[in-house]
Amino acid sequence: MVLPGGLLTRKEEPVPLKSIGVTLSIREFVAGVSATLNYENEEEVPLETFFVFPMDDDSAVYSFEAVVDGKKIKAELQEKKKAHSIYESAISNRRQAFLLEEDKYSRDVFCCNVGNLNPGSKVALTLKYVQELPLEADGALRYVLPAVLNPRYRGSGSFEDSCLDMKTPIVPLEDLPYTFSMVATISSQHGIERIQSNCPFSPIEYLGEDKTSAQVSLAEGHKFDRDVELLIYYSEVHTPTVAVEMGQPKDNRVDGFMKDPSAMVCFYPNIPEAPSPVICGEFVFLMDRSGSMQCPISKQDQSQLRIEAAKETLILLLKSLPLGCYFNVYGFGSSYEAFFPNSVKYSQQTMEEALKRVKLMQADLGGTEILTPLQIIYREPSIEGHPLQLFVFTDGEVTDTFNVINEVKRNRLRHRCFSFGIGEGASTSLIKGIARVAGGTSEFITGKDRMQFKALRALKRALQPAVDDVSVSWNLPHGLSAKMLSPEQTVLYKGQRLIVYALLSGTMPPAEATGEVDLKYTLQGKSFENKVTFALQPKPDDNFTIHRLAAKSFLQTKDMGFRDTSAKDKKDVLKISIDCGVISSQTAFIAVNKNLNKPVQGPLTRRDVPRPTLFSAALMMPQYEGCALPKAMSSCPLPTTQSTRTSRYKGTSYQQDVCRPCRPMVSKDLCALVFGDNHLVQLISLQNADGSWYLDENLAVILGKSLEDLLAAVPVKDADSSSWATVLAVVWLHSNAKQMKGEWELLEKKARTWIHIHAASIMQELVKAAIAFTKSSMDPSIFAL
């Protein structure tokens, strides 16, 4: 069953939401956001309106207020059932009321209700939140204001009381009836180099000569039909910092969360590159093949289809795995399919069979039932000496995200999970949640992002030896202690930022006093340490940003949804949520207008607010399951044998074509059919599991030479042709695809290692000849290990 994002009105009905205005303030790596929704009732009857919208999973919403005909009404954060009761009572008694809540089953979906809006009345609803900004690989801080809320697939057994249960039609992007504006102020003590966006913005206006503060605004006329993304580049982002924020001493509760000062520590651990990466492991790739994967990654021109980017990514991953590991590939939709009954040892034969199946993959499995294949993967017995590394690729359109996150969390001790959200509208709650609870990393692929690069970066992390014995300790003056609020950190990755929160209780020392935070960890038996010294001078902040970010960090570890949070954790979640004013699945903001002298008159009429969506719910309907392949790809051109396998999702035996090992592995016609003119992917698809290439017609076509010319140019008599071919392939990569090195560096290192093992004595001659033959300007020292 597919649930639409947003409650959508029929075209003939006026839409009460007229405009959305956002004020964004970014200081260093923290964003403070104030979003105002402006409503006007132009009808002759009182209205009740509903607006369902996306929020980033990391957003700590702490304020909600209404201005009705010039009078301000501040909402209170209450236990969710109580808030609903107050709202329903107010509506039935003809009072004006406002409700803001987080969805029961996903942190990244919110609903705003306006009840009993009088004819002619205007209401401005303002919600405020703060969030940490993630750090991209190129040093950019990434802020995204989600706009797109795509249809979400409801799995079997899901409950039907989500914000997304309203069954209404989908609105096209161009038909959104309300306007959108945004002004952003950015400040950093290190200086601002540049700001980029996927939307048209005004030129950057620097607010000082030192470029430590700047302002930009969204161009007029933006329709809020896509996620608004900002990439902020500071002159320096890898400097460790500690910020201490003043609490509320007047909070009389003994254990009040807001009473004591809070501290936020930001580490950039300088983890060294391991000399010998991991060569063991079980690598399982879980790929979304629901109908929505047939859509482009973004609205931008020439954006790659999601399923095509996924196929290229899988080829790169398969080619980059080390010999001796184990692997499997699952595709999922309404049903699921596994390439192999169990994970298999990585070899030439198993890689070739997997590669053939990847090339014929389609977005043909219907909806997004991710829970069942996850459960099947976790039921498989562990392979001794090969810890499980799970890679999940999905456009994230699942209703009950907490159910999926809990399944991953239950199995967190036996694996790491790396997750990838594909396209605008991917659930940040799902993608970030499963990575967070299983010690992996999460990535989002939108706009011009390349899934291939981000997936290979995650694989590189997975192949690095694990960092052990991670600990954070505090050295504070006598009488002062730190209570950690962040979850215990068990995993660190090279290039990753680490943020921890703590409450400082006790007697604050004189102004000149300092404290110290110490991060320790072990890598391959060697101990490392990072220290940060900071001034113990709490600074006031009217918004209590650090306290609320700390509360959000705590809630993310305890709050597993309205239904699934344990009784003990629910008690903690309620207390922290209400103490700090940060919304959770257990609480909601409620406001009742007590300024009206008389009840609202007339029958109450419902009006719903359109939401942008990139594609139709029809793409996710079950009838798309099992749709036919394009005619040209409906059968594999390779020789096959019949083999009987057990389908683990249907529980029956079935006949299946299995490729015999062949050389060359794939015909050039199929390469051209699947990859078009993408010579990089064609070249990579020809690489063998051990890192080498064959010298054949397929390689010659990609290199733009004839096979006869390649054979005639071999510089060493009786040299193995694969050694010559492999050197030529590596030279081609460095000469023709240097800008995409992040996507092929792992498989290229396999190739160089193979050359050192099989052609060390003649390597220099081969390299020199290959550079001359291809007229390349690459540095031959690249071939060193």
Side-chain angles (χ1 to χ4, degrees):
M1 175 183 176
V2 180
L3 302 180
L7 298 177
L8 311 178
T9 184
R10 294 186 295 275
K11 288 185 178 179
E12 67 270 17
E13 296 173 342
V15 175
L17 179 61
K18 299 304 178 183
S19 65
I20 301 175
V22 173
T23 302
L24 169 66
S25 175
I26 296 175
R27 298 179 62 184
E28 305 300 350
F29 54 87
V30 174
V33 183
S34 175
T36 299
L37 313 176
N38 294 296
Y39 291 82
E40 181 178 359
N41 183 0
E42 297 175 330
E43 301 188 55
E44 297 179 356
V45 292
L47 299 180
E48 182 178 23
T49 71
F50 298 82
F51 184 28
V52 177
F53 58 97
M55 291 279 286
D56 191 284
D57 177 78
D58 290 331
S59 303
V61 180
Y62 66 87
S63 176
F64 181 55
E65 63 183 31
V67 176
V68 184
D69 299 327
K71 295 181 180 179
K72 183 182 291 188
I73 307 163
K74 190 164 181 63
E76 293 182 358
L77 191 62
Q78 300 274 5
E79 190 272 330
K80 181 169 281 189
K81 289 182 179 179
K82 183 178 179 182
H84 273 266
S85 177
I86 294 172
Y87 178 82
E88 295 299 335
S89 175
I91 297 303
S92 62
N93 287 307
R94 302 288 184 146
R95 305 299 296 269
Q96 204 169 61
F98 311 93
L99 181 73
L100 177 70
E101 62 179 320
E102 176 184 293
D103 187 61
K104 292 182 179 180
Y105 306 110
S106 189
R107 283 195 193 98
D108 61 347
V109 178
F110 277 66
C111 184
C112 177
N113 300 9
V114 177
N116 281 324
L117 183 59
N118 270 322
S121 284
K122 294 182 179 181
V123 177
L125 300 179
T126 300
L127 63 94
K128 296 179 181 179
Y129 65 90
V130 291
Q131 71 175 100
E132 301 167 6
L133 299 185
L135 186 67
E136 298 290 289
D138 63 354
L141 289 165
R142 181 173 181 261
Y143 170 76
V144 176
L145 181 69
V148 176
L149 183 55
N150 287 324
R152 294 199 176 182
Y153 183 82
R154 177 182 295 288
S156 56
S158 298
F159 286 70
E160 295 191 2
D161 54 349
S162 163
C163 291
L164 293 172
D165 281 321
M166 300 86 170
K167 302 173 181 62
T168 48
I170 295 295
V171 67
L173 293 172
E174 62 272 14
D175 288 347
L176 286 177
Y178 46 86
T179 62
F180 176 78
S181 62
M182 177 175 173
V183 176
T185 303
I186 299 100
S187 59
S188 170
Q189 61 180 330
H190 302 294
I192 302 163
E193 285 190 351
R194 65 187 188 276
I195 302 168
Q196 296 177 351
S197 178
N198 65 331
C199 299
F201 263 78
S202 66
I204 300 174
E205 179 187 351
Y206 287 103
L207 305 180
E209 293 183 2
D210 56 1
K211 292 189 175 183
T212 58
S213 184
Q215 189 173 86
V216 293
S217 57
L218 197 62
E220 288 187 18
H222 183 76
K223 292 286 287 185
F224 205 33
D225 58 352
R226 71 187 81 170
D227 293 350
V228 179
E229 179 180 274
L230 288 179
L231 295 175
I232 301 108
Y233 294 84
Y234 295 147
S235 300
E236 174 58 56
V237 294
H238 293 96
T239 304
T241 58
V242 181
V244 183
E245 180 180 273
M246 193 176 291
Q248 287 180 309
K250 295 180 181 179
D251 189 337
N252 295 321
R253 289 166 292 187
V254 176
D255 57 348
F257 192 97
M258 303 292 287
K259 183 175 182 179
D260 294 321
S262 61
M264 178 171 62
V265 185
C266 181
F267 283 110
Y268 295 90
N270 186 23
I271 300 174
E273 190 84 43
S276 54
V278 174
I279 59 171
C280 61
E282 179 188 5
F283 298 89
V284 175
F285 306 107
L286 180 58
M287 181 62 70
D288 193 337
R289 285 176 53 191
S290 61
S292 54
M293 288 290 287
Q294 192 60 37
C295 297
I297 287 177
S298 79
K299 289 180 59 186
Q300 297 184 13
D301 291 341
Q302 299 180 329
S303 179
Q304 194 173 24
L305 294 182
R306 298 176 184 189
I307 191 65
E308 295 305 319
K311 288 160 68 173
E312 286 186 17
T313 300
L314 278 175
I315 290 171
L316 287 165
L317 289 167
L318 289 171
K319 295 294 184 176
S320 301
L321 291 177
L323 281 171
C325 73
Y326 287 75
F327 80 100
N328 204 350
V329 180
Y330 288 75
F332 71 93
S334 301
S335 59
Y336 74 92
E337 297 176 357
F339 280 17
F340 305 98
N342 309 98
S343 291
V344 294
K345 196 165 187 177
Y346 182 71
S347 66
Q348 184 67 18
Q349 180 178 347
T350 56
M351 183 204 71
E352 286 181 358
E353 183 174 344
L355 197 65
K356 183 194 75 170
R357 295 177 183 282
V358 168
K359 289 187 172 91
L360 299 177
M361 262 177 37
Q362 295 293 300
D364 57 1
L365 293 183
T368 312
E369 277 271 21
I370 191 173
L371 184 59
T372 300
L374 277 173
Q375 292 169 335
I376 294 296
I377 290 167
Y378 293 142
R379 283 179 202 155
E380 291 296 326
S382 299
I383 301 173
E384 187 175 354
H386 293 270
L388 175 62
Q389 311 264 24
L390 177 62
F391 290 69
V392 178
F393 300 83
T394 178
D395 50 21
E397 284 128 19
V398 181
T399 301
D400 193 354
T401 61
F402 284 120
N403 211 4
V404 179
I405 294 169
N406 277 324
E407 182 64 30
V408 175
K409 186 177 182 180
R410 280 190 286 271
N411 293 275
R412 66 189 181 279
L413 298 180
R414 58 167 297 200
H415 83 303
R416 289 191 292 185
C417 179
F418 300 86
S419 57
F420 304 85
I422 304 169
E424 294 183 46
S427 169
T428 58
S429 180
L430 176 69
I431 302 304
K432 292 183 179 183
I434 59 177
R436 184 187 300 119
V437 298
T441 58
S442 59
E443 300 277 6
F444 291 88
I445 299 102
T446 60
K448 295 181 180 179
D449 291 342
R450 284 184 60 80
M451 185 190 311
Q452 298 88 326
F453 170 74
K454 293 193 172 186
L456 269 293
R457 182 172 66 184
L459 179 61
K460 190 175 181 181
R461 285 171 170 170
L463 290 170
Q464 288 292 307
V467 172
D468 300 315
D469 303 324
V470 181
S471 66
V472 176
S473 59
W474 298 73
N475 183 12
L476 301 172
H478 181 72
L480 191 64
S481 63
K483 178 185 178 182
M484 290 286 288
L485 298 172
S486 303
E488 182 181 353
Q489 192 73 25
T490 58
V491 180
L492 290 176
Y493 297 100
K494 182 176 175 63
Q496 189 180 30
R497 181 182 65 192
L498 172 63
I499 296 176
V500 294
Y501 296 95
L503 287 180
L504 304 180
S505 58
T507 305
M508 293 300 292
E512 65 274 7
T514 60
E516 186 179 78
V517 191
D518 192 2
L519 171 68
K520 296 180 181 179
Y521 54 92
T522 303
L523 178 64
Q524 293 185 314
K526 189 175 181 180
S527 297
F528 295 88
E529 189 173 21
N530 294 126
K531 292 183 178 181
V532 184
T533 302
F534 62 97
L536 282 167
Q537 299 173 15
K539 295 182 179 179
D541 180 350
D542 292 340
N543 295 326
F544 295 96
T545 300
I546 295 177
H547 281 80
R548 282 164 173 148
L549 288 174
K552 183 67 177 181
S553 175
F554 177 87
L555 292 172
Q556 284 177 326
T557 63
K558 297 282 189 179
D559 189 357
M560 288 294 118
F562 185 78
R563 187 185 73 238
D564 294 328
T565 304
S566 68
K568 179 181 179 302
D569 286 344
K570 186 176 290 189
K571 183 179 178 182
D572 292 339
V573 167
L574 266 173
K575 178 175 176 11
I576 296 299
S577 178
I578 291 175
D579 277 1
C580 299
V582 174
I583 203 168
S584 69
S585 71
Q586 310 295 325
T587 53
F589 280 104
I590 177 67
V592 177
N593 188 355
K594 299 177 181 177
N595 297 320
L596 291 178
N597 296 323
K598 60 181 181 179
V600 175
Q601 302 298 310
L604 188 62
T605 303
R606 177 172 175 147
R607 291 289 180 262
D608 304 317
V609 178
R611 290 295 312 154
T613 182
L614 286 180
F615 45 81
S616 166
L619 278 173
M620 304 170 67
M621 295 300 285
Q623 63 261 31
Y624 278 79
E625 182 181 352
C627 65
L629 294 175
K631 188 174 182 181
M633 300 177 63
S634 59
S635 62
C636 177
L638 301 182
T640 61
T641 61
Q642 288 293 321
S643 154
T644 299
R645 293 246 173 105
T646 299
S647 167
R648 296 189 331 201
Y649 69 93
K650 292 181 179 176
T652 58
S653 295
Y654 65 100
Q655 291 295 113
Q656 175 174 300
D657 287 337
V658 180
C659 275
R660 292 196 302 264
C662 53
R663 178 183 172 187
M665 175 185 66
V666 61
S667 73
K668 62 183 178 182
D669 291 335
L670 182 60
C671 267
L673 173 67
V674 177
F675 304 120
D677 295 328
N678 192 333
H679 287 175
L680 173 62
V681 181
Q682 289 183 28
L683 177 69
I684 290 170
S685 72
L686 296 174
Q687 188 187 31
N688 296 314
D690 60 7
S692 67
W693 272 266
Y694 294 133
L695 189 63
D696 56 25
E697 187 68 38
N698 290 337
L699 180 64
V701 170
I702 294 168
L703 297 180
K705 309 287 185 181
S706 69
L707 182 56
E708 291 73 18
D709 287 344
L710 292 183
L711 290 168
V714 178
V716 180
K717 186 179 179 180
D718 299 327
D720 176 36
S721 62
S722 287
S723 299
W724 175 233
T726 304
V727 170
L728 284 170
V730 171
V731 170
W732 189 96
L733 287 171
H734 284 276
S735 304
N736 296 277
K738 192 172 183 179
Q739 72 278 15
M740 301 170 86
K741 183 179 179 181
E743 299 178 18
W744 50 255
E745 61 180 335
L746 287 176
L747 62 89
E748 183 264 359
K749 187 174 182 180
K750 275 174 67 174
R752 287 188 288 113
T753 301
W754 185 91
I755 293 167
H756 276 262
I757 294 173
H758 293 89
S761 61
I762 58 172
M763 183 180 70
Q764 288 186 346
E765 293 175 77
L766 293 175
V767 171
K768 184 178 179 181
I771 291 174
F773 180 70
T774 59
K775 299 179 182 180
S776 170
S777 59
M778 70 167 283
D779 183 354
S781 65
I782 285 171
F783 278 82
L785 286 179

